[in-house]
Amino acid sequence: MAEIENLFSKTQHARDAQCQAEGLACRRGAALVFEDVFFHLTSGQALCVRGANGSGKSSLLRQLAGLLPLAAGALTRPNPHKHTHYLGHADGLKAALSIGETLAYEAALAGQGADHAADLTARLGLAGRDWQYVGDLSAGQKRRLTLARLLLDPRPLWLLDEPMTALDEDGRALVGALAKAHLASGGMIIAASHEPLGFANAELVLGAQI
Amino acid sequence: MTTQRRIFAAICRQHIRLSWRNGQTVLAVSFLFIAITLLPFGLGPELKLLRALAPGLLWVVLAISLLTSLERLFQADYEDGALDRLLLVPLSFEAVVLAKLLGHYVALVLPLIAAVPLAGLLLNIEAARLPILVAAMLCGAPALVMAGGIGAALAVSVRRGGLLTVLIAMPFYVPVLIFGAAAARAGLQGGVDVAVDVGAYLGVLAALSAASLLLAPFAIAAALRAALR
Amino acid sequence: MLKALENISAFYANPTRFMGLASRLHGPLWALAVLLLAYGLYRVAHVPADYQQGDTVRIMFVHVPAAWMALFGYSFIFFASVTALIFRHPLGHVAARAAAPVGAVFTLLALITGSLWGQPMWGTWWVWDARLTSVLVLFFIYLGYIALWQAIDEPTRAARAAAILAIVGFINVPIVKFSVDWWNTLHQPASVSRLARPALHADFLYPLLIMGAAFLVLFLAITLTRMQMEVLRQRLRVRARAGASENA
């Protein structure tokens, strides 16, 4: 019943990646969170998922990332292990590590050497803080740090849960710029957010009629 | 280095680093010594008695120290979202689990086993028994880690899951303790037959460890996936 | 919306056919259990006293079948869990969950009767006899399984975790049994008596088999009743939720 509002006319990029949901439903325990969710996203497009608290925005993203089973429906999507980034509420950062160590770890998970992480602090607006412990960072700074994953490993589909939360003006601009560059290069973004996103060009409203 | 191997090594190294930095390693080794220190208060300071009981006591204390260290094996990662992250790396989740368990073996089990000779000294154990005891522990400990890992993974979504982890893992500890203590005891007697016995016991321990290495990662990965749904 | 609710009920109360069958089965099953138990106890009362053990030998007619049920109960949980995981049949989880406390009580019964029997024989309430010890470990396996069900709030999550534990634990049971047997022979030479099996003499065998059958039917009857209760509880939960969302 959720609306399909993403009829795009953008030209296809070289990458013919796509993400398509047909009649998705999600169940938590005995409760139905949402059902009949349809959308179709192709290279270069972004989708903003909206809806009240508890309407299942985060659950939808987790389903797209392969972390939650589908209660019904079919999903065509890039491989979650290789072609999908998922940035959820819980950031998975470790307070006992420094920024430098965190970035080196992230680089290794992206299959790259620590040298790839070298210039990241500057790009994320965390320059000169390599030595600082993640536990001492503010929420916004941690958020910036998680963006490193997007930069280290070019994956076509980004799933962003509340990407603007806790970020300042600069931080939001940074996310916007990253997103635009990603879309321009043929990537796809699905973001759940209550706030306006600078980059999203379609909306999916969950729980509109339930 | 292939990508997969690099990721495996990174997860393993991360676990070791965090265990050291969060004080887990030091805590576990301290726990072992505290338990050993309490024993004479319960049993009396009679050195002969302590010497006779030492191998068995050391096994039990090692097993309990290990169990307490396993409680939070996956829980921190479960709560802070790191497990979600690890589900999305281009490596099978079973391999991710194995990397963490290997990290745990290096970061906690090896220091604990290294502390055993010193702890044995406090119990007046004969030096001659130590090599066999330590060898038996090295052979048997992987099975203990795997069993504890199963308990920790099944209880991962439970807030105070420590006791539950112990309750789940304890039945799996029985065979390892039996053969581990048997190896240590056989080592005492000396002679050719005994050498054969010790070899057989170490073989049984290694077989238990190998079997659990083959099975446990699948069970643990399945349990963690179930908890993340 | 209504369709969705129906789907959920179908998922949880899918066992509609089971409930029909169960309500027809449970009366006769309980009747059979009571009859068999009464007849078995009557036969046990008329077994001649053992020339060595005297009347204590009668404890064996409870102890041995209880130990059988301890093993049967865990096997039941294992097969129910495998069914639930592989065939995705929710009734498997219900059956496994319902059977666990029943099996645990039989296990406890085996332990207590073993101890009662052992007191006059060994002069002590507990001996680390191989069979008693492995039954004790089995009891802990049951406890862990039950505790896991209780500790996890979310039912589908609890069901999956418990099924995984049931399967892994089942693999562990023979390993424990073998190693405890071996450990026992290592420490206690053959002279120390184990729980003696009653001589397979017709006077003993038939009452034993009847008691075994009685316990088996009793196990199935209790488990069936518990399964019915569990299905009803889940239906109530679904209905409560449906009511709540209609009012909203």
Side-chain angles (χ1 to χ4, degrees):
Chain A
M1 279 169 276
E3 300 293 325
I4 319 164
E5 292 190 32
N6 47 324
L7 301 163
F8 298 100
S9 56
K10 234 180 164 187
T11 48
Q12 289 278 323
H13 275 260
R15 264 179 274 173
D16 57 349
Q18 56 172 330
C19 184
Q20 184 173 7
E22 290 167 289
L24 287 195
C26 174
R27 184 160 34 219
R28 308 297 277 156
L32 189 76
V33 183
F34 58 73
E35 62 176 340
D36 290 343
V37 167
F38 291 86
F39 62 81
H40 182 217
L41 208 63
T42 53
S43 190
Q45 297 175 330
L47 178 68
C48 180
V49 185
R50 299 198 183 276
N53 297 128
S55 61
K57 298 187 295 297
S58 298
S59 296
L60 176 62
L61 292 189
R62 290 180 71 81
Q63 283 186 327
L64 295 175
L67 296 169
L68 269 186
L70 310 178
L75 197 54
T76 316
R77 58 157 182 233
N79 180 344
H81 295 284
K82 291 187 181 132
H83 304 308
T84 305
H85 273 304
Y86 165 72
L87 296 190
H89 283 296
D91 53 25
L93 295 175
K94 300 294 179 187
L97 296 184
S98 71
I99 289 182
E101 286 166 333
T102 305
L103 290 175
Y105 175 62
E106 292 295 346
L109 288 192
Q112 288 165 354
D115 46 316
H116 273 81
D119 67 327
L120 275 179
T121 42
R123 291 175 67 188
L124 296 170
L126 298 166
R129 293 178 187 271
D130 274 312
W131 48 269
Q132 202 170 349
Y133 282 101
V134 172
D136 298 333
L137 297 182
S138 74
Q141 287 172 317
K142 282 186 199 162
R143 198 81 210 175
R144 285 167 182 253
L145 192 51
T146 58
L147 298 177
R149 290 172 195 162
L150 305 177
L151 293 170
L152 278 165
D153 192 3
R155 297 182 171 196
L157 176 62
W158 291 2
L159 303 169
L160 310 176
D161 201 348
E162 301 289 354
M164 299 305 189
T165 309
L167 287 176
D168 57 15
E169 288 284 302
D170 284 357
R172 285 162 196 238
L174 175 66
V175 172
L178 287 178
K180 279 177 188 145
H182 178 60
L183 294 173
S185 68
M188 294 178 286
I189 300 177
I190 300 177
S193 181
H194 294 290
E195 298 169 53
L197 296 173
F199 53 84
N201 36 18
E203 273 194 10
L204 172 75
V205 183
L206 286 180
Q209 287 173 38
I210 295 182
Chain B
M1 193 153 54
T2 67
T3 306
Q4 297 203 325
R5 239 184 262 167
R6 177 172 275 158
I7 295 172
F8 187 94
I11 295 169
C12 186
R13 215 175 319 116
Q14 169 97 332
H15 191 88
I16 297 170
R17 181 180 276 163
L18 286 171
S19 299
W20 274 99
R21 213 165 276 180
N22 291 335
Q24 296 291 321
T25 307
V26 176
L27 267 178
V29 174
S30 318
F31 182 91
L32 181 119
F33 278 106
I34 287 165
I36 293 291
T37 309
L38 285 177
L39 286 171
F41 297 123
L43 296 169
E46 183 65 50
L47 281 181
K48 247 190 225 160
L49 177 72
L50 290 177
R51 168 179 289 197
L53 296 177
L57 292 177
L58 287 168
W59 260 109
V60 173
V61 168
L62 175 80
I64 295 175
S65 314
L66 240 170
L67 263 183
T68 54
S69 79
L70 280 161
E71 223 178 275
R72 299 275 301 167
L73 180 55
F74 301 109
Q75 207 158 27
D77 286 346
Y78 174 75
E79 284 164 1
D80 70 13
L83 274 187
D84 290 346
R85 169 94 186 91
L86 292 175
L87 268 165
L88 298 181
V89 297
L91 189 64
S92 78
F93 195 47
E94 285 76 14
V96 169
V97 164
L98 201 60
K100 286 193 77 73
L101 290 167
L102 181 65
H104 198 78
Y105 192 78
V106 174
L108 276 143
V109 180
L110 291 183
L112 278 173
I113 295 179
V116 160
L118 201 58
L121 218 66
L122 291 174
L123 296 177
N124 195 33
I125 197 169
E126 290 105 306
R129 300 179 72 167
L130 281 174
I132 290 168
L133 183 65
V134 170
M137 285 175 169
L138 286 172
C139 289
L144 298 182
V145 172
M146 294 294 150
I150 291 176
L154 286 170
V156 74
S157 66
V158 180
R159 268 296 144 116
R160 296 194 211 304
L163 284 176
L164 185 60
T165 305
V166 173
L167 188 56
I168 291 172
M170 174 264 173
F172 295 93
Y173 276 30
V174 171
V176 180
L177 281 188
I178 286 176
F179 286 100
R185 194 170 310 101
L188 180 68
Q189 287 140 12
V192 182
D193 295 356
V194 172
V196 176
D197 273 3
V198 169
Y201 299 153
L202 294 185
V204 172
L205 287 171
L208 285 171
S209 287
S212 60
L213 265 168
L214 282 178
L215 286 175
F218 292 96
I220 294 172
L224 292 176
R225 276 206 197 96
L228 284 168
R229 287 167 164 247
Chain C
M1 189 62 217
L2 214 77
K3 198 192 89 205
L5 276 172
E6 271 167 20
N7 284 342
I8 302 174
S9 338
F11 176 78
Y12 272 96
N14 164 5
T16 318
R17 272 172 59 205
F18 159 78
M19 289 302 270
L21 187 71
S23 61
R24 254 176 289 142
L25 214 61
H26 109 268
L29 206 58
W30 271 103
L32 184 64
V34 171
L35 277 178
L36 274 172
L37 200 60
Y39 181 58
L41 288 174
Y42 169 81
R43 287 290 300 263
V44 170
H46 287 77
V47 162
D50 187 80
Y51 75 101
Q52 269 184 323
Q53 305 179 12
D55 278 336
T56 41
V57 76
R58 296 185 211 286
I59 297 175
M60 299 313 296
F61 295 97
V62 176
H63 173 77
V64 174
W68 289 344
M69 294 323 295
L71 271 182
F72 174 81
Y74 201 77
S75 315
F76 183 93
I77 293 172
F78 169 73
F79 286 110
S81 303
V82 169
T83 315
L85 274 194
I86 295 177
F87 302 107
R88 300 184 176 278
H89 202 306
L91 205 55
H93 292 305
V94 174
R97 182 176 199 177
V102 189
V105 168
F106 275 114
T107 313
L108 189 62
L109 188 65
L111 285 173
I112 291 172
T113 49
S115 170
L116 285 176
W117 180 85
Q119 210 287 327
M121 293 298 117
W122 296 321
T124 165
W125 291 107
W126 184 261
V127 168
W128 291 94
D129 162 81
R131 237 186 289 173
L132 274 182
T133 307
S134 36
V135 172
L136 181 64
V137 177
L138 182 60
F139 184 62
F140 287 127
I141 294 178
Y142 270 112
L143 285 189
Y145 179 80
I146 296 169
L148 188 63
W149 263 110
Q150 286 181 340
I152 304 178
D153 302 322
E154 212 273 301
T156 48
R157 192 184 280 178
R160 284 198 146 250
I164 293 166
L165 178 59
I167 290 168
V168 184
F170 190 73
I171 299 171
N172 190 37
V173 168
I175 302 176
V176 168
K177 171 86 181 112
F178 163 77
S179 46
V180 168
D181 280 353
W182 178 85
W183 163 80
N184 198 250
T185 54
L186 185 78
H187 288 262
Q188 298 183 331
S191 67
V192 174
S193 73
R194 311 163 85 216
L195 281 186
R197 291 162 199 268
L200 291 182
H201 187 275
D203 283 354
F204 290 86
L205 184 63
Y206 288 121
L208 187 67
L209 288 179
I210 292 164
M211 286 300 286
F215 276 20
L216 178 65
V217 178
L218 188 63
F219 178 96
L220 294 176
I222 302 175
T223 303
L224 188 72
T225 306
R226 288 179 51 83
M227 282 175 73
Q228 287 174 298
M229 278 159 49
E230 181 62 28
V231 171
L232 288 177
R233 197 179 301 139
Q234 287 179 353
R235 280 184 181 171
L236 272 180
R237 204 178 295 150
V238 170
R239 226 166 267 176
R241 227 175 259 271
S245 62
E246 262 159 36
N247 291 338

